[in-house]
Amino acid sequence: MSATRLLVLGVVRMFGRAHGYQVRRELLTWSAEKWANVQPGSIYHALKKMTAENLLEKVDVEPGDSGPDRVAYRLTDDGEQEFQLLLTRALSDPEVGHPEMSAGIGLMPALPRQHAISLLRQRLVHLEGEERRARLMLDDQADWGQPAHVVELFRLWAGISGASHTWLENLIERLEKGEYVMADDAEPLFRNPPQ
């Protein structure tokens, strides 16, 4: 899974139709180049690749003033399905990396509130298991015969798991209290793409 792929699909979906510069400009406002390493070249590559995969379609081509033509894209039905699949995985799958999960959090308002909460609860169950495993490793460190300093790895693992668990519980609580505008609210930030 690629954070760039999810982000590009999500931003095109958010606008209904968008060209590469719009996608890039929007992602710059999210600082995605820092936390997901989304670079201009990767945005344009993703647009072309996903067009070839029938996830996006070209809807308009404007001649460029002094450069290449400006191409606008929109999601196809397959693109909407791919977006939903990637977003679901980004929020619920504990195996996805930090950039992908961060992309999922950024696009989370595209989902109905209860669905987002349900996906985050799935991730929470996995985090609880990670915390337990890290604590067991710390408790049993004398029995596994590793160099003494290796325990620091398990302390790090336990600390990251604990902090992630607390943050995720707090996010779920905020969503349950009605914070953030979600897809099923009166004025959603991320509308379903026009057909």
Side-chain angles (χ1 to χ4, degrees), residues 5-120:
R5 188 176 178 91
L6 174 56
L7 287 166
V8 169
L9 285 171
V11 171
V12 171
R13 183 184 189 273
M14 182 177 76
F15 284 116
R17 60 184 289 281
H19 49 77
Y21 180 73
Q22 283 176 292
V23 173
R24 180 173 177 238
R25 188 178 60 218
E26 182 66 22
L27 292 176
L28 282 172
T29 68
W30 299 10
S31 298
E33 74 282 3
K34 293 180 177 90
W35 51 264
N37 196 28
V38 176
Q39 302 301 316
S42 61
I43 292 169
Y44 291 101
H45 175 75
L47 288 167
K48 288 178 184 171
K49 185 172 183 351
M50 289 189 288
T51 300
E53 294 172 351
N54 195 37
L55 302 176
L56 296 172
E57 63 183 351
K58 295 178 183 180
V59 291
D60 194 18
V61 179
E62 302 170 11
D65 295 332
S66 60
D69 292 345
R70 187 173 282 186
V71 179
Y73 301 87
R74 73 172 168 213
L75 266 68
T76 63
D77 290 340
D78 288 346
E80 176 65 21
Q81 187 174 3
E82 178 78 356
F83 170 74
Q84 293 293 332
L85 178 71
L86 292 175
L87 182 55
T88 294
R89 185 167 176 229
L91 293 175
S92 65
D93 186 346
E95 298 299 317
V96 300
H98 176 73
E100 292 82 5
M101 184 183 177
S102 297
I105 296 299
L107 295 165
M108 179 179 65
L111 297 174
R113 184 174 304 278
Q114 288 306 314
H115 184 55
I117 291 169
S118 174
L119 294 172
L120 294 170

